[in-house]
Amino acid sequence: MALSACSFTGTSDIENPLVRKGSWFSFINADDIRTACSAGDAEGRIRIVYNADYYKETRSYDLVPRSGAEQFEMVSRIFGPLDVSEVNVEVAAPLGAFGGTESRENLSRGQYLALTDALQADGFGYQSRDGLRLHSDDYYWVAIGCSSQSITLAAWTSTKDDLRALTFPNVLENLSGLEKTLPQPPAFGTPKQPDPFFSKNDKKAESRHFYRTVRGNQLK
């Protein structure tokens, strides 16, 4: 499993494939929010990432307070799908380069609270998921937020959770301006099928897959 080595900052262009390839692990761990949070500059910020089999589609949603936390901006992005035949695994493994689609919306405080209420109803702030692995070829959600200079992390994965029963994805989709329908996760308990993109005899296939592990409020 190759690791991303670059840190994501607030000025990084995550839509640039080269930037994303080098800083994806930092982005999904919300390192930029963590730095601002510890300085008291990220109150109410939330990043939500949906991994719908990384090389097929991944989405991110960033919520940023504006105007004294009475208004909020939500930046929604879609990355993928990727033609894996074009991935140079010797150089780029495991993170392929593919472009993104972006949408920006202004949310009211009521809309923001509707989303945070749904997140909390699904376990945000109440989970104990230490040791949970999030595999790139699975479906999973990660939510990281800052409140009172403290970071909260929650994660839901198709191997442990019924993702179709979560309430916050529907709220999120209704608030987002992205036109493409949210990818449906597999039904809970469905046996995982081999990825059809990769042959069992493909010795380079392993380098295309990766995972993150929940360690406290970090993804490592």
Side-chain angles (χ1 to χ4, degrees):
M1 179 183 66
L3 295 180
S4 164
C6 302
S7 295
F8 178 81
T9 68
T11 59
S12 300
D13 181 10
I14 195 63
E15 293 183 39
N16 182 316
L18 295 179
V19 172
R20 186 163 66 256
K21 183 181 69 175
S23 61
W24 181 252
F25 290 163
S26 178
F27 176 78
I28 196 175
N29 192 48
D31 287 347
D32 56 322
I33 295 178
R34 294 173 187 275
T35 299
C37 187
S38 63
D41 297 329
E43 182 69 21
R45 284 193 60 184
I46 302 173
R47 175 168 298 148
I48 302 171
V49 174
Y50 181 40
N51 186 94
D53 193 334
Y54 182 84
Y55 289 109
K56 295 176 182 176
E57 184 168 313
T58 304
R59 298 193 181 201
S60 70
Y61 305 84
D62 275 274
L63 290 100
V64 182
R66 305 292 190 199
S67 303
E70 291 303 318
Q71 293 182 337
F72 298 79
E73 181 181 40
M74 183 166 74
V75 183
S76 310
R77 299 182 177 95
I78 300 176
F79 308 119
L82 173 71
D83 180 356
V84 296
S85 66
E86 297 179 358
V87 178
N88 182 343
V89 296
E90 294 298 322
V91 176
L95 304 176
F98 49 97
T101 299
E102 179 183 293
S103 178
R104 292 175 178 263
E105 282 73 46
N106 293 318
L107 306 183
S108 67
R109 183 169 181 81
Q111 290 173 314
Y112 174 87
L113 292 176
L115 177 58
T116 57
D117 286 348
L119 282 166
Q120 290 176 359
D122 287 330
F124 185 69
Y126 303 99
Q127 285 186 340
S128 177
R129 289 296 175 91
D130 196 58
L132 179 68
R133 282 188 175 181
L134 308 176
H135 292 269
S136 61
D137 56 344
D138 283 339
Y139 285 68
Y140 64 78
W141 287 93
V142 173
I144 297 176
C146 172
S147 178
S148 301
Q149 293 185 262
S150 295
I151 288 290
T152 297
L153 180 151
W156 304 263
T157 177
S158 57
T159 58
K160 297 290 185 181
D161 305 286
D162 184 357
L163 299 186
R164 296 187 181 187
L166 296 176
T167 58
F168 78 83
N170 290 332
V171 177
L172 196 61
E173 187 169 29
N174 288 334
L175 293 176
S176 172
L178 295 174
E179 296 181 358
K180 187 178 179 182
T181 303
L182 198 67
Q184 184 80 331
F188 185 59
T190 301
K192 185 176 179 180
Q193 300 297 319
D195 193 323
F197 287 117
F198 306 126
S199 165
K200 292 181 180 179
N201 297 322
D202 184 353
K203 295 182 180 180
K204 296 178 181 179
E206 184 177 354
S207 68
R208 297 188 182 100
H209 297 302
F210 55 93
Y211 63 85
R212 297 280 82 188
T213 304
V214 178
R215 296 298 184 193
N217 72 352
Q218 297 269 355
L219 292 177
K220 297 183 177 181

Short mmCIF file of all heavy atoms in Angstrom, two decimals, residues 17 20-21 52-58 78-89 92-100 136 180 195-198 207-210:
data_model
loop_
_atom_site.label_atom_id
_atom_site.label_comp_id
_atom_site.label_asym_id
_atom_site.label_seq_id
_atom_site.Cartn_x
_atom_site.Cartn_y
_atom_site.Cartn_z
N PRO A 17 -5.72 16.91 -10.43
CA PRO A 17 -5.41 15.50 -10.21
C PRO A 17 -4.07 15.25 -9.55
O PRO A 17 -3.94 14.35 -8.71
CB PRO A 17 -5.47 14.89 -11.62
CG PRO A 17 -6.37 15.79 -12.38
CD PRO A 17 -6.09 17.17 -11.83
N ARG A 20 -4.36 16.18 -5.87
CA ARG A 20 -5.18 15.20 -5.14
C ARG A 20 -4.44 13.88 -4.94
O ARG A 20 -4.51 13.27 -3.88
CB ARG A 20 -6.50 14.97 -5.89
CG ARG A 20 -7.46 14.07 -5.13
CD ARG A 20 -8.87 14.18 -5.66
NE ARG A 20 -9.02 13.68 -7.01
CZ ARG A 20 -9.13 14.44 -8.09
NH1 ARG A 20 -9.08 15.76 -7.99
NH2 ARG A 20 -9.28 13.92 -9.29
N LYS A 21 -3.72 13.47 -5.99
CA LYS A 21 -2.97 12.22 -5.89
C LYS A 21 -1.97 12.27 -4.74
O LYS A 21 -1.79 11.29 -4.01
CB LYS A 21 -2.24 11.94 -7.20
CG LYS A 21 -1.49 10.60 -7.22
CD LYS A 21 -0.76 10.40 -8.53
CE LYS A 21 0.40 11.36 -8.68
NZ LYS A 21 1.19 11.09 -9.90
N ALA A 52 -17.30 5.76 -2.93
CA ALA A 52 -18.18 4.77 -3.57
C ALA A 52 -17.34 3.92 -4.51
O ALA A 52 -17.53 3.91 -5.73
CB ALA A 52 -19.31 5.46 -4.32
N ASP A 53 -16.38 3.20 -3.92
CA ASP A 53 -15.34 2.47 -4.63
C ASP A 53 -14.46 3.51 -5.32
O ASP A 53 -14.83 4.05 -6.37
CB ASP A 53 -15.91 1.46 -5.62
CG ASP A 53 -14.85 0.48 -6.12
OD1 ASP A 53 -13.66 0.84 -6.12
OD2 ASP A 53 -15.22 -0.64 -6.53
N TYR A 54 -13.33 3.81 -4.74
CA TYR A 54 -12.51 4.97 -5.08
C TYR A 54 -12.33 5.20 -6.58
O TYR A 54 -12.45 6.32 -7.07
CB TYR A 54 -11.14 4.84 -4.41
CG TYR A 54 -10.22 6.02 -4.67
CD1 TYR A 54 -10.31 7.17 -3.90
CD2 TYR A 54 -9.29 5.98 -5.70
CE1 TYR A 54 -9.48 8.25 -4.15
CE2 TYR A 54 -8.45 7.06 -5.95
CZ TYR A 54 -8.55 8.19 -5.18
OH TYR A 54 -7.73 9.26 -5.43
N TYR A 55 -12.04 4.15 -7.33
CA TYR A 55 -11.76 4.33 -8.74
C TYR A 55 -13.03 4.47 -9.59
O TYR A 55 -12.94 4.68 -10.80
CB TYR A 55 -10.89 3.19 -9.27
CG TYR A 55 -9.47 3.27 -8.76
CD1 TYR A 55 -9.00 2.36 -7.82
CD2 TYR A 55 -8.62 4.27 -9.20
CE1 TYR A 55 -7.70 2.45 -7.34
CE2 TYR A 55 -7.31 4.36 -8.73
CZ TYR A 55 -6.86 3.45 -7.80
OH TYR A 55 -5.58 3.54 -7.32
N LYS A 56 -14.18 4.33 -8.96
CA LYS A 56 -15.44 4.53 -9.68
C LYS A 56 -16.01 5.91 -9.38
O LYS A 56 -16.34 6.66 -10.30
CB LYS A 56 -16.44 3.44 -9.30
CG LYS A 56 -16.00 2.04 -9.74
CD LYS A 56 -16.96 0.97 -9.26
CE LYS A 56 -16.46 -0.42 -9.66
NZ LYS A 56 -17.33 -1.50 -9.12
N GLU A 57 -16.13 6.26 -8.10
CA GLU A 57 -16.59 7.61 -7.76
C GLU A 57 -16.32 7.92 -6.30
O GLU A 57 -16.51 7.07 -5.43
CB GLU A 57 -18.09 7.77 -8.05
CG GLU A 57 -18.57 9.21 -7.80
CD GLU A 57 -19.98 9.44 -8.35
OE1 GLU A 57 -20.24 9.04 -9.50
OE2 GLU A 57 -20.81 10.00 -7.62
N THR A 58 -15.88 9.13 -6.05
CA THR A 58 -15.69 9.64 -4.70
C THR A 58 -16.26 11.05 -4.66
O THR A 58 -16.15 11.80 -5.63
CB THR A 58 -14.20 9.68 -4.32
OG1 THR A 58 -13.63 8.38 -4.48
CG2 THR A 58 -14.02 10.12 -2.88
N ILE A 78 -17.44 15.98 -7.06
CA ILE A 78 -17.43 14.59 -7.51
C ILE A 78 -16.10 14.33 -8.20
O ILE A 78 -15.68 15.10 -9.06
CB ILE A 78 -18.57 14.31 -8.52
CG1 ILE A 78 -19.94 14.57 -7.91
CG2 ILE A 78 -18.49 12.86 -9.01
CD1 ILE A 78 -21.09 14.39 -8.89
N PHE A 79 -15.44 13.24 -7.83
CA PHE A 79 -14.22 12.81 -8.48
C PHE A 79 -14.47 11.43 -9.10
O PHE A 79 -14.86 10.50 -8.39
CB PHE A 79 -13.06 12.71 -7.48
CG PHE A 79 -12.86 13.96 -6.67
CD1 PHE A 79 -12.97 13.92 -5.29
CD2 PHE A 79 -12.57 15.16 -7.28
CE1 PHE A 79 -12.78 15.06 -4.52
CE2 PHE A 79 -12.38 16.31 -6.52
CZ PHE A 79 -12.48 16.26 -5.13
N GLY A 80 -14.24 11.29 -10.39
CA GLY A 80 -14.42 10.00 -11.04
C GLY A 80 -15.56 10.06 -12.03
O GLY A 80 -16.20 11.10 -12.19
N PRO A 81 -15.86 8.92 -12.69
CA PRO A 81 -15.14 7.65 -12.57
C PRO A 81 -13.81 7.68 -13.32
O PRO A 81 -13.55 8.58 -14.12
CB PRO A 81 -16.10 6.65 -13.22
CG PRO A 81 -16.80 7.46 -14.26
CD PRO A 81 -16.97 8.84 -13.64
N LEU A 82 -13.00 6.68 -13.05
CA LEU A 82 -11.67 6.61 -13.62
C LEU A 82 -11.53 5.40 -14.52
O LEU A 82 -11.98 4.31 -14.17
CB LEU A 82 -10.62 6.53 -12.50
CG LEU A 82 -9.18 6.27 -12.91
CD1 LEU A 82 -8.64 7.52 -13.60
CD2 LEU A 82 -8.33 5.93 -11.72
N ASP A 83 -10.92 5.57 -15.68
CA ASP A 83 -10.56 4.44 -16.53
C ASP A 83 -9.26 3.88 -15.97
O ASP A 83 -8.18 4.41 -16.20
CB ASP A 83 -10.36 4.91 -17.97
CG ASP A 83 -9.99 3.77 -18.90
OD1 ASP A 83 -9.82 2.63 -18.42
OD2 ASP A 83 -9.87 4.02 -20.11
N VAL A 84 -9.38 2.79 -15.20
CA VAL A 84 -8.20 2.28 -14.50
C VAL A 84 -7.14 1.76 -15.46
O VAL A 84 -5.99 1.58 -15.07
CB VAL A 84 -8.60 1.16 -13.52
CG1 VAL A 84 -9.48 1.71 -12.43
CG2 VAL A 84 -9.29 0.01 -14.25
N SER A 85 -7.49 1.53 -16.71
CA SER A 85 -6.49 1.06 -17.66
C SER A 85 -5.44 2.13 -17.93
O SER A 85 -4.36 1.84 -18.44
CB SER A 85 -7.16 0.65 -18.98
OG SER A 85 -7.73 1.77 -19.62
N GLU A 86 -5.76 3.39 -17.58
CA GLU A 86 -4.83 4.48 -17.81
C GLU A 86 -3.96 4.79 -16.60
O GLU A 86 -3.14 5.69 -16.63
CB GLU A 86 -5.61 5.74 -18.21
CG GLU A 86 -6.39 5.60 -19.51
CD GLU A 86 -7.16 6.85 -19.86
OE1 GLU A 86 -7.11 7.81 -19.05
OE2 GLU A 86 -7.82 6.88 -20.91
N VAL A 87 -4.16 4.04 -15.52
CA VAL A 87 -3.37 4.31 -14.32
C VAL A 87 -1.99 3.70 -14.44
O VAL A 87 -1.83 2.51 -14.73
CB VAL A 87 -4.08 3.70 -13.08
CG1 VAL A 87 -3.22 3.92 -11.84
CG2 VAL A 87 -5.44 4.31 -12.89
N ASN A 88 -0.96 4.50 -14.26
CA ASN A 88 0.40 4.01 -14.22
C ASN A 88 0.71 3.62 -12.79
O ASN A 88 1.10 4.45 -11.97
CB ASN A 88 1.36 5.11 -14.71
CG ASN A 88 2.80 4.63 -14.75
OD1 ASN A 88 3.16 3.62 -14.15
ND2 ASN A 88 3.63 5.37 -15.47
N VAL A 89 0.51 2.36 -12.46
CA VAL A 89 0.63 1.94 -11.06
C VAL A 89 2.07 1.99 -10.57
O VAL A 89 2.31 2.07 -9.37
CB VAL A 89 0.05 0.52 -10.86
CG1 VAL A 89 -1.43 0.52 -11.14
CG2 VAL A 89 0.77 -0.49 -11.74
N ALA A 92 2.01 6.04 -10.05
CA ALA A 92 0.88 6.71 -9.42
C ALA A 92 0.15 5.88 -8.38
O ALA A 92 -0.79 6.36 -7.78
CB ALA A 92 -0.13 7.15 -10.50
N ALA A 93 0.52 4.66 -8.17
CA ALA A 93 -0.23 3.81 -7.25
C ALA A 93 -0.21 4.38 -5.85
O ALA A 93 0.78 4.92 -5.41
CB ALA A 93 0.39 2.41 -7.23
N PRO A 94 -1.34 4.25 -5.09
CA PRO A 94 -2.59 3.69 -5.55
C PRO A 94 -3.57 4.75 -6.03
O PRO A 94 -4.70 4.43 -6.37
CB PRO A 94 -3.13 3.02 -4.29
CG PRO A 94 -2.73 3.99 -3.22
CD PRO A 94 -1.39 4.54 -3.65
N LEU A 95 -3.18 5.99 -6.00
CA LEU A 95 -4.14 7.07 -6.21
C LEU A 95 -4.09 7.55 -7.65
O LEU A 95 -3.14 8.17 -8.08
CB LEU A 95 -3.82 8.23 -5.26
CG LEU A 95 -3.81 7.83 -3.79
CD1 LEU A 95 -3.40 9.01 -2.94
CD2 LEU A 95 -5.18 7.32 -3.36
N GLY A 96 -5.14 7.26 -8.40
CA GLY A 96 -5.19 7.63 -9.80
C GLY A 96 -5.54 9.09 -9.99
O GLY A 96 -6.02 9.77 -9.10
N ALA A 97 -5.32 9.58 -11.19
CA ALA A 97 -5.61 10.98 -11.50
C ALA A 97 -6.90 11.07 -12.31
O ALA A 97 -7.00 10.48 -13.37
CB ALA A 97 -4.45 11.57 -12.31
N PHE A 98 -7.89 11.76 -11.77
CA PHE A 98 -9.12 11.98 -12.52
C PHE A 98 -9.74 13.29 -12.06
O PHE A 98 -9.59 13.72 -10.94
CB PHE A 98 -10.11 10.82 -12.37
CG PHE A 98 -10.37 10.36 -10.97
CD1 PHE A 98 -11.47 10.81 -10.27
CD2 PHE A 98 -9.50 9.48 -10.34
CE1 PHE A 98 -11.73 10.38 -8.97
CE2 PHE A 98 -9.75 9.04 -9.05
CZ PHE A 98 -10.86 9.48 -8.36
N GLY A 99 -10.44 13.94 -12.98
CA GLY A 99 -10.95 15.28 -12.72
C GLY A 99 -12.18 15.31 -11.84
O GLY A 99 -12.76 14.29 -11.51
N GLY A 100 -12.60 16.52 -11.48
CA GLY A 100 -13.72 16.66 -10.57
C GLY A 100 -14.79 17.60 -11.10
O GLY A 100 -14.56 18.37 -12.01
N SER A 136 -10.34 1.19 0.01
CA SER A 136 -10.63 2.01 -1.17
C SER A 136 -11.66 1.37 -2.08
O SER A 136 -12.41 2.08 -2.77
CB SER A 136 -9.34 2.26 -1.96
OG SER A 136 -8.77 1.04 -2.41
N LYS A 180 -25.79 14.88 -10.54
CA LYS A 180 -25.67 13.43 -10.63
C LYS A 180 -26.14 12.78 -9.34
O LYS A 180 -25.80 13.20 -8.24
CB LYS A 180 -24.21 13.04 -10.90
CG LYS A 180 -24.01 11.55 -11.16
CD LYS A 180 -22.55 11.25 -11.47
CE LYS A 180 -22.34 9.76 -11.71
NZ LYS A 180 -20.91 9.45 -11.96
N ASP A 195 -13.50 -6.97 -7.77
CA ASP A 195 -13.58 -5.83 -8.66
C ASP A 195 -13.36 -6.31 -10.09
O ASP A 195 -12.30 -6.87 -10.40
CB ASP A 195 -12.51 -4.80 -8.28
CG ASP A 195 -12.73 -3.46 -8.96
OD1 ASP A 195 -13.16 -3.45 -10.13
OD2 ASP A 195 -12.49 -2.43 -8.32
N PRO A 196 -14.34 -6.11 -10.98
CA PRO A 196 -14.19 -6.63 -12.35
C PRO A 196 -13.10 -5.95 -13.16
O PRO A 196 -12.70 -6.45 -14.20
CB PRO A 196 -15.57 -6.33 -12.97
CG PRO A 196 -16.10 -5.18 -12.18
CD PRO A 196 -15.60 -5.41 -10.78
N PHE A 197 -12.60 -4.80 -12.67
CA PHE A 197 -11.55 -4.11 -13.39
C PHE A 197 -10.22 -4.85 -13.32
O PHE A 197 -9.37 -4.69 -14.17
CB PHE A 197 -11.36 -2.69 -12.83
CG PHE A 197 -12.45 -1.74 -13.19
CD1 PHE A 197 -13.23 -1.18 -12.20
CD2 PHE A 197 -12.69 -1.41 -14.51
CE1 PHE A 197 -14.24 -0.28 -12.52
CE2 PHE A 197 -13.70 -0.52 -14.85
CZ PHE A 197 -14.48 0.04 -13.84
N PHE A 198 -10.05 -5.66 -12.28
CA PHE A 198 -8.75 -6.25 -12.05
C PHE A 198 -8.81 -7.77 -12.12
O PHE A 198 -9.68 -8.40 -11.51
CB PHE A 198 -8.23 -5.83 -10.67
CG PHE A 198 -8.21 -4.35 -10.46
CD1 PHE A 198 -8.85 -3.79 -9.36
CD2 PHE A 198 -7.57 -3.52 -11.36
CE1 PHE A 198 -8.84 -2.42 -9.17
CE2 PHE A 198 -7.56 -2.16 -11.17
CZ PHE A 198 -8.19 -1.60 -10.08
N SER A 207 -1.42 -2.77 -5.68
CA SER A 207 -0.91 -1.43 -5.48
C SER A 207 -1.96 -0.37 -5.77
O SER A 207 -1.79 0.79 -5.41
CB SER A 207 0.32 -1.19 -6.37
OG SER A 207 -0.04 -1.17 -7.73
N ARG A 208 -3.05 -0.76 -6.43
CA ARG A 208 -4.11 0.20 -6.73
C ARG A 208 -5.06 0.36 -5.55
O ARG A 208 -5.83 1.30 -5.50
CB ARG A 208 -4.90 -0.26 -7.96
CG ARG A 208 -4.10 -0.34 -9.25
CD ARG A 208 -5.04 -0.62 -10.43
NE ARG A 208 -4.31 -0.75 -11.68
CZ ARG A 208 -4.00 -1.91 -12.25
NH1 ARG A 208 -4.35 -3.03 -11.65
NH2 ARG A 208 -3.35 -1.94 -13.39
N HIS A 209 -5.04 -0.58 -4.63
CA HIS A 209 -5.95 -0.54 -3.49
C HIS A 209 -5.22 -0.03 -2.25
O HIS A 209 -4.02 -0.22 -2.09
CB HIS A 209 -6.53 -1.93 -3.22
CG HIS A 209 -7.38 -2.45 -4.34
ND1 HIS A 209 -8.48 -1.79 -4.81
CD2 HIS A 209 -7.26 -3.58 -5.09
CE1 HIS A 209 -9.02 -2.48 -5.80
NE2 HIS A 209 -8.30 -3.56 -5.99
N PHE A 210 -5.95 0.60 -1.37
CA PHE A 210 -5.36 1.15 -0.15
C PHE A 210 -6.46 1.24 0.90
O PHE A 210 -7.63 1.01 0.62
CB PHE A 210 -4.74 2.53 -0.42
CG PHE A 210 -5.71 3.52 -1.02
CD1 PHE A 210 -6.43 4.39 -0.22
CD2 PHE A 210 -5.91 3.58 -2.39
CE1 PHE A 210 -7.33 5.30 -0.76
CE2 PHE A 210 -6.80 4.49 -2.95
CZ PHE A 210 -7.51 5.34 -2.13
#
